[in-house]
Amino acid sequence: SFARATWRPAPEWTLDAGIRYETSDISSAGDVRLEKSLQFAKPRLAVAWTPRPATQLRLRLEREVDQLDFNDFVASTNLTTSVGVTAGNPDLNPQQDWVAELAVEQQLWKGASVILTGRRLDFSDVVDRGPVFAADGTVFDRPTNIGDGKRDVLILDFTLPFDAFGWKGALVKGELLRRWTQVTDPTTHEKRRISGEHRS
């Protein structure tokens, strides 16, 4: 279920607010039997301000909930590689975050623009790798929820057509991205990047 409302208090301002409510049921059978229900409210607020025709500032506040990867639920075996046995975790919760995003868009000439976006995500129930201690003393890892984390992202997008300068069809588009992540490792209890995350 969802609800959404848009309001323009002045020509240069647009406010868009909404909320979604999602529910799901998860069950597993076999060696591990588990059933549980999940419910999440996902509010969203977006504000756009256009102080002059060529410039716009956009603010977004939103709660996001990731989709669960069902490959993380079950164990798998690969004897042809060094991976061996990969343990599954049927009791995973989806990763959630609150995201705050600020973007500034500047039109340069017809069809040309530069957009600078800063984004902060504060995570809960981060899905990462965590240790499992077997009865025989063997230690291996599996997907698990390891607590809170964060991600900071800085993005520069640009579109530069050169038709106005007589170069018909010439267009340069690009994106520069920088990403920082942090989570507490469940084994060492030290700060590190989220697994699989790169700086750019």
Side-chain angles (χ1 to χ4, degrees), residues 78-170:
N78 190 337
L79 301 180
T80 62
T81 69
S82 60
V83 174
V85 177
T86 301
N89 184 357
D91 198 24
L92 278 176
N93 288 322
Q95 181 171 285
Q96 308 126 56
D97 68 73
W98 282 97
V99 57
E101 178 182 282
L102 179 64
V104 181
E105 180 174 359
Q106 180 64 48
Q107 302 292 325
L108 303 176
W109 59 86
K110 184 178 180 180
S113 65
V114 175
I115 306 173
L116 181 63
T117 303
R119 186 181 300 143
R120 157 60 72 92
L121 297 95
D122 289 309
F123 294 110
S124 58
D125 283 335
V126 173
V127 177
D128 207 296
R129 309 300 297 185
V132 178
F133 302 94
D136 62 359
T138 304
V139 180
F140 53 96
D141 68 347
R142 69 174 180 177
T144 191
N145 298 114
I146 65 171
D148 298 337
K150 64 181 180 180
R151 179 192 296 145
D152 294 310
V153 185
L154 190 62
I155 308 169
L156 177 64
D157 289 292
F158 55 89
T159 302
L160 304 174
F162 292 95
D163 290 14
F165 299 95
W167 303 344
K168 291 295 183 182

Side-chain angles (χ1 to χ4, degrees), residues 17-53:
I19 186 169
R20 291 179 177 273
Y21 188 78
E22 298 180 354
T23 62
S24 60
D25 297 312
I26 298 176
S27 63
S28 65
D31 294 338
V32 179
R33 294 183 176 274
L34 177 71
E35 293 185 5
K36 65 179 180 180
S37 297
L38 300 171
Q39 301 88 29
F40 296 101
K42 299 164 58 177
R44 180 180 188 274
L45 174 65
V47 180
W49 177 44
T50 309
R52 55 178 183 264

